[in-house]
Amino acid sequence: MLCSSFLLALLTVNSVTGYSNGKVGAACGDMVPQHGYEPSPDPSPYNVTVDKSTFSPGDRITVSLQVVSSDPTFFKGFLIEARDAGKLNSPAVGSFTLTDPHESRLLQCGHTQRSAVSHRRSSTKTHVQAVWESPEDPPQRVQFLVTVVQHYEVYWVRTAGPVVRLRGATAAPSTAAPSSDAPSSDAPSSDAPSTAPPSSAAPVQTTSPTALSAPFTSVGCGHSKSCLRDPVGCRPESDPDCFFLSFITDASGSSVMFELSGPADGYVSFALSLDRWMGNDDVYLCVNDGDRVSISAAYVSGRTHPESAAEETLWGRAWRLADGVIQCRFHRNIIQPDRFSFNQSYFLFLAHGSSHQGVIHRHARQPLTSTGQKVIAGHPEDLRGSRSPLLIKLHGVLMLTAWMWTTSTAVFIARHRKHLWPDTTLLGQKLWFQLHRTLMLLAAALTVVAFTLPFIYRRGWSNRAGSHPYVGCAVMALTVIQPVMATLRPAPESPSRIIFRWMHFGGGTIGQILAVCVFQGPTQQALLLPSPWSPAALAGWLLWILLADLLLLIHSCRFRSRGTSEDKEGLLCAQLEKQQHGEISKVKKIVLLVFLAGNTGFLAAFINAVVSS
């Protein structure tokens, strides 16, 4: 009886299966979770939106699933598919690309890889996105369907999403419904906003841009409009070095007005992106074209030159050129065919560069990237951004710590404390040697970690970083060679010991010189520190080390010459030698403490500049 009960319970458990990891391939066909419960009869508190209403073969459409209920709610699981709107029971069409791999995963439904998107884990969510790519031979109309799981017992199955049409195809009514309680029209469900431009949208204007009479202002940033500025808090009305982007939704809620400003020889621009990488982005350009500014929209596929959009995309265009600063203003409808929807959240890139006869060139400086995503038509915010990626910042901090503080301190101890601690030991080794070895191993470890970070960020070798990566590789090689050489050093009484000393000294000196050259990395566009502050601070640090070394060398030579003179006269005794040794030790101890304090100050200043960049 007990065995029968256990077997029955086991069969019951196996017949009701939940997939908290999102591997719901078994539900691809009917999109019904195998939870053993009926779908919720209540209206779904979620909807699906897209950023385009039409498409061509190979086009990408951003699909968003979000909470639309006024009550606080969330969802844990989901399944999104795209199907032929005329045959909703047919297999999924097209393929998806993830925008947040931490929250979503790709599935293979039928014979098509990446044809559906599901959750990766059962965490609570309020919004997810994915990018759908049209197949080469798509149906004329495609509808997005979604199953959403709020709790294990509460879920909605095959809720109808928006319908997108193949460009050039004629409209046709839907012939199938996704489920018994889901609408079958081309439009989204009653809870979903329309994907077409609102009827109250401002009229399209194709007239030439007009000239502005006054500069832009930062008044209202964070209160009535959203702003992204570099430097933080700068004012475009008074600061000619201020890069400024603001945007505000009009009173009707149908369009957004943008204002873009910055010092540039050729152009200023901004882009909307689903990630922190340039590529597949919605771009807007203000280009200095002689005595006027051309204002246009474009799209970037990968890392290629922007592809211009139709002139009708933007309206209400105006511009201003003054004192090397380019300023432009324009409007765009929130929902615009073939453009990113402003109801979605994106990272913002702010870039500038040169141009020739209206043709733009690659930006010479790392774009300013917003620290987080922003819904363009959302509530006003005073945004912050950075021109240096986090991994590159960490690379700079680790390299500065390894060579500006750790290595210089280790060399200073070996050079000036060796003869002052001749008999002091730590763990069976002389104290100065233990400190020197520990600091150098720490420097080597920091250098190895720092060396790998740019390769992780760039996903390979960078061809645009000049000599910096080559010098860095040389420093990395010496960082490995030095401890290996020290491990294989001959005994102190060996005749070849002198060769080791010179090789060790030479390798270390070359490594330090190259490291100083690597410190010119802040001139790289990925980590651009203030100029002329950065070169001046670096020169000050080098002078600081040189002065500390010279001070102790002069002090040691003075006592050595005094001792030699008195020894010649036969007046030097053990008591005088001990007194001199104590005086030298006291001076060197004071200099060491001052040296460490100065080194720490220089390092802190550089790290603060890196973090703030």
Side-chain angles (χ1 to χ4, degrees):
M1 181 65 181
L2 182 61
C3 292
S4 300
S5 300
F6 177 75
L7 181 59
L8 179 61
L10 184 61
L11 291 173
T12 303
V13 170
N14 285 337
S15 64
V16 181
T17 307
Y19 298 90
S20 61
N21 60 5
K23 295 181 179 180
V24 294
C28 279
D30 57 11
M31 301 183 70
V32 178
Q34 299 180 12
H35 292 186
Y37 295 89
E38 291 296 322
S40 173
D42 299 327
S44 173
Y46 317 102
N47 76 347
V48 178
T49 58
V50 293
D51 66 338
K52 298 178 183 179
S53 59
T54 60
F55 66 94
S56 298
D59 276 3
R60 291 169 170 261
I61 295 178
T62 300
V63 184
S64 302
L65 169 64
Q66 60 267 321
V67 173
V68 294
S69 172
S70 57
D71 298 328
T73 187
F74 56 86
F75 57 93
K76 292 186 176 182
F78 64 92
L79 175 63
I80 302 175
E81 294 184 25
R83 298 189 182 185
D84 186 339
K87 302 176 182 178
L88 288 177
N89 291 324
S90 61
V93 297
S95 59
F96 284 93
T97 301
L98 301 181
T99 61
D100 187 0
H102 298 291
E103 292 291 350
S104 52
R105 68 166 66 246
L106 298 171
L107 298 177
Q108 178 175 343
C109 288
H111 299 291
T112 306
Q113 294 184 348
R114 303 186 293 116
S115 55
V117 183
S118 181
H119 54 282
R120 180 172 291 276
R121 52 182 182 168
S122 59
S123 59
T124 57
K125 313 166 187 66
T126 58
H127 177 267
V128 292
Q129 277 186 338
V131 178
W132 179 77
E133 183 173 344
S134 168
E136 291 301 320
D137 186 20
Q140 292 189 355
R141 296 157 56 250
V142 173
Q143 184 164 25
F144 294 93
L145 306 177
V146 60
T147 290
V148 187
V149 177
Q150 187 179 78
H151 297 289
Y152 189 82
E153 304 89 350
V154 181
Y155 51 85
W156 289 261
V157 175
R158 275 205 342 175
T159 301
V163 174
V164 292
R165 290 186 176 85
L166 181 67
R167 290 191 189 95
T170 57
S174 177
T175 59
S179 64
S180 59
D181 59 345
S184 58
S185 65
D186 288 352
S189 63
S190 58
D191 294 327
S194 171
T195 58
S199 58
S200 60
V204 174
Q205 298 179 3
T206 59
T207 57
S208 300
T210 59
L212 294 166
S213 59
F216 299 147
T217 176
S218 59
V219 175
C221 285
H223 301 287
S224 60
K225 61 184 178 182
S226 295
C227 298
L228 177 63
R229 295 178 276 181
D230 181 35
V232 176
C234 67
R235 299 177 179 274
E237 62 270 31
S238 58
D239 184 359
D241 296 322
C242 180
F243 289 93
F244 175 80
L245 171 66
S246 72
F247 45 95
I248 180 173
T249 306
D250 66 3
S252 65
S254 61
S255 67
V256 175
M257 182 185 74
F258 294 89
E259 292 181 337
L260 179 61
S261 172
D265 295 331
Y267 70 94
V268 290
S269 66
F270 74 92
L272 308 179
S273 179
L274 295 171
D275 52 34
R276 297 180 185 273
W277 287 90
M278 291 292 290
N280 302 324
D281 303 325
D282 205 14
V283 181
Y284 300 88
L285 299 158
C286 300
V287 183
N288 186 345
D289 195 8
D291 58 350
R292 61 187 295 274
V293 174
S294 63
I295 305 170
S296 61
Y299 186 78
V300 175
S301 301
R303 291 182 173 269
T304 60
H305 197 275
E307 303 171 10
S308 298
E311 188 175 351
E312 296 81 8
T313 300
L314 309 179
W315 53 279
R317 295 171 294 164
W319 58 271
R320 184 174 183 267
L321 285 173
D323 302 323
V325 176
I326 301 174
Q327 294 189 327
C328 64
R329 173 189 293 154
F330 60 88
H331 297 249
R332 208 213 80 179
N333 295 335
I334 292 178
I335 304 295
Q336 184 82 27
D338 305 323
R339 310 298 303 178
F340 283 13
S341 168
F342 291 161
N343 286 324
Q344 310 303 320
S345 59
Y346 308 98
F347 288 100
L348 290 101
F349 295 147
L350 191 57
H352 68 283
S354 60
S355 66
H356 179 66
Q357 296 181 349
V359 178
I360 67 171
H361 300 293
R362 187 181 187 274
H363 50 81
R365 188 180 178 190
Q366 186 81 2
L368 179 73
T369 305
S370 61
T371 54
Q373 290 187 322
K374 165 65 180 168
V375 178
I376 305 303
H379 62 278
E381 293 183 61
D382 201 357
L383 305 170
R384 289 181 175 268
S386 173
R387 294 188 184 272
S388 301
L390 179 60
L391 286 179
I392 301 300
K393 287 184 177 182
L394 185 57
H395 165 77
V397 169
L398 292 179
M399 289 298 287
L400 288 168
T401 304
W403 291 91
M404 178 171 280
W405 198 95
T406 311
T407 299
S408 61
T409 302
V411 172
F412 194 89
I413 288 174
R415 184 173 298 167
H416 299 292
R417 302 298 296 184
K418 179 187 298 186
H419 302 295
L420 298 178
W421 296 329
D423 302 320
T424 307
T425 60
L426 177 65
L427 300 177
Q429 295 283 352
K430 292 182 178 181
L431 177 59
W432 74 266
F433 177 74
Q434 289 284 42
L435 292 175
H436 174 77
R437 180 170 63 179
T438 301
L439 289 173
M440 292 305 297
L441 289 176
L442 176 60
L446 292 174
T447 303
V448 169
V449 175
F451 180 78
T452 63
L453 296 180
F455 290 96
I456 296 174
Y457 169 71
R458 294 290 184 186
R459 300 174 185 176
W461 184 267
S462 175
N463 295 318
R464 298 181 180 271
S467 62
H468 185 78
Y470 298 97
V471 178
C473 288
V475 171
M476 184 69 248
L478 289 171
T479 300
V480 175
I481 291 172
Q482 282 292 90
V484 172
M485 187 190 306
T487 303
L488 301 176
R489 67 188 182 280
E493 62 276 4
S494 172
S496 57
R497 180 75 172 196
I498 186 67
I499 300 176
F500 158 75
R501 287 179 178 175
W502 278 107
M503 291 181 64
H504 193 58
F505 170 78
T509 303
I510 294 173
Q512 284 186 289
I513 293 173
L514 292 178
V516 172
C517 296
V518 169
F519 288 170
Q520 294 303 314
T523 61
Q524 302 296 322
Q525 60 165 297
L527 188 59
L528 191 63
L529 299 187
S531 180
W533 176 90
S534 175
L538 181 60
W541 172 71
L542 292 173
L543 184 61
W544 173 259
I545 292 179
L546 181 61
L547 289 176
D549 272 335
L550 285 176
L551 177 62
L552 290 183
L553 286 174
I554 293 172
H555 187 267
S556 298
C557 290
R558 187 170 64 86
F559 273 93
R560 191 179 300 115
S561 62
R562 181 192 302 177
T564 303
S565 174
E566 294 179 352
D567 190 41
K568 288 180 180 179
E569 298 174 4
L571 300 176
L572 186 61
C573 62
Q575 183 178 1
L576 180 60
E577 184 179 357
K578 182 177 181 181
Q579 180 182 354
Q580 289 182 345
H581 185 274
E583 188 175 343
I584 294 175
S585 178
K586 182 178 180 180
V587 171
K588 288 193 172 184
K589 184 182 296 183
I590 294 174
V591 173
L592 175 62
L593 293 176
V594 175
F595 174 81
L596 292 176
N599 249 15
T600 304
F602 278 107
L603 177 63
F606 269 97
I607 289 179
N608 180 67
V610 169
V611 172
S612 302
S613 64

